[in-house]
Amino acid sequence: MSKREDRINNIISILKSSNGSSVKDLANELNVSEMTIRRDLKTLEEKKIIDNFYGAAVFNPREDNPVNKSDEYSYSISINSHKMEYQKNCIGKKAAEFVCENDVVVIDTGTTTEKLTQNIDNELSFTALVFSANNLIHLLGKPNAEIIVSGGKFHRDTGMFEPSIDMELVKNTRTNKLFLSAAGVHEKLGITCAYSYEILLKKEVINNSLEVFLLVDSSKFGNVASAFICELDYIDNIITDRGISDEWVEIINKMGINLIIAD
């Protein structure tokens, strides 16, 4: 578990056992800056885990709190892989239809893009740039897939390999399709992810790809995570599930983005 995951879980435990706490008290107790605590509280508030009242953070006791439903909260990829699993599998199967013979593709980190990798035809000949352990493992079983791995520091929370700062291999790889993942999709604040170390790599592969497919389940629409990737108009296609709202269908259609609903 990363330091941030551990800190967030500590904040949840503190707020569950108390009637509320201020930013200052939480910062002192966890020995971090008040700015760090504010970012963590914003994330927890967006996930409906806490409420903020006049400067005090309190645990959300209502039924819509995911902690109340599962008694656990974590950013870890092992936990997230079980959320919206049916919808993610549908999205992955649909996305796999767009990987064609001799394509050169980028497959982003994440539990939804993992379903894409699992569902690609085993006999297909294509090249894939990947930077996550789960996608690499699935591609190893596809004998005709040429695999390019970014390498670098491994992050256990997301399963991502973070390339060195110059990212020479990534910068020099051109692809015709990118299959991008995200933690949040917002009309005004764009496409976001949970960790700042993901940003440079995602931006680079967006710039180096002819066509961008965003793979997100319907729960991500309207969400905002802390790390900004790109504006919505950088996306050519969105593949999602039938849970998407009519409001979001209208937003996407008005922007001229191709919306693909996975059955």
Side-chain angles (χ1 to χ4, degrees):
M1 183 177 289
S2 70
K3 289 182 180 179
R4 189 180 189 223
E5 287 176 33
D6 188 57
R7 186 177 65 248
I8 283 178
N9 287 330
N10 283 334
I11 291 172
I12 293 170
S13 296
I14 292 167
L15 297 181
K16 283 180 76 173
S17 62
S18 67
N19 292 323
S21 184
S22 68
V23 170
K24 183 176 182 179
D25 289 342
L26 287 169
N28 288 336
E29 186 162 353
L30 298 175
N31 195 30
V32 295
S33 69
E34 292 186 17
M35 179 72 73
T36 295
I37 293 296
R38 286 192 184 94
R39 284 197 293 264
D40 291 342
L41 292 179
K42 184 173 184 249
T43 296
L44 291 172
E45 188 174 25
E46 289 167 352
K47 299 292 182 183
K48 300 182 179 179
I49 292 172
I50 68 159
D51 291 315
N52 271 315
F53 295 107
Y54 304 104
V58 297
F59 184 76
N60 167 18
R62 300 186 299 274
E63 290 184 358
D64 62 348
N65 187 334
V67 174
N68 291 334
K69 294 177 181 179
S70 65
D71 201 32
E72 64 183 359
Y73 178 78
S74 175
Y75 278 108
S76 71
I77 198 164
S78 60
I79 297 297
N80 286 337
S81 64
H82 300 295
K83 296 177 180 177
M84 304 285 285
E85 187 169 8
Y86 174 79
Q87 291 87 345
K88 289 176 180 179
N89 195 50
C90 290
I91 293 166
K93 284 182 178 179
K94 178 58 70 174
E97 296 176 9
F98 294 92
V99 182
C100 302
E101 192 78 12
N102 298 321
D103 267 351
V104 182
V105 304
V106 187
I107 303 175
D108 195 7
T109 59
T111 54
T112 306
T113 53
E114 178 180 22
K115 301 301 183 184
L116 158 64
T117 314
Q118 289 173 326
N119 283 288
I120 295 174
D121 186 343
N122 286 341
E123 302 305 315
L124 192 69
S125 296
F126 67 102
T127 300
L129 168 63
V130 294
F131 30 89
S132 62
N134 55 347
N135 283 321
L136 173 60
I137 289 169
H138 296 309
L139 286 176
L140 290 174
K142 301 183 187 296
N144 297 324
E146 183 175 335
I147 306 168
I148 305 171
V149 184
S150 64
K153 179 181 178 181
F154 182 67
H155 294 271
R156 292 182 180 275
D157 42 21
T158 58
M160 174 181 163
F161 295 101
E162 180 188 2
S164 59
I165 193 66
D166 59 2
M167 294 195 300
E168 184 176 356
L169 184 147
V170 176
K171 287 181 178 179
N172 290 328
T173 302
R174 297 294 187 266
T175 58
N176 55 310
K177 291 168 188 170
L178 161 62
F179 296 94
L180 182 70
S181 66
V185 182
H186 194 276
E187 183 180 8
K188 292 183 179 179
L189 299 182
I191 310 299
T192 52
C193 58
Y195 295 107
S196 59
Y197 64 73
E198 301 177 77
I199 298 173
L200 286 178
L201 186 52
K202 288 177 185 282
K203 287 180 181 291
E204 193 67 44
V205 292
I206 288 170
N207 289 334
N208 291 348
S209 299
L210 286 176
E211 189 174 12
V212 180
F213 290 79
L214 178 63
L215 277 54
V216 285
D217 67 72
S218 56
S219 70
K220 302 299 193 300
F221 292 99
N223 287 358
V224 179
S226 59
F228 174 70
I229 303 169
C230 65
E231 300 291 354
L232 256 174
D233 57 10
Y234 277 70
I235 307 302
D236 301 298
N237 311 277
I238 294 176
I239 305 179
T240 190
D241 59 84
R242 290 198 171 277
I244 187 172
S245 68
D246 292 339
E247 178 186 2
W248 266 101
V249 170
E250 184 178 354
I251 290 169
I252 292 167
N253 288 336
K254 280 185 176 180
M255 294 190 70
I257 300 170
N258 182 35
L259 177 61
I260 303 160
I261 305 294
D263 293 315

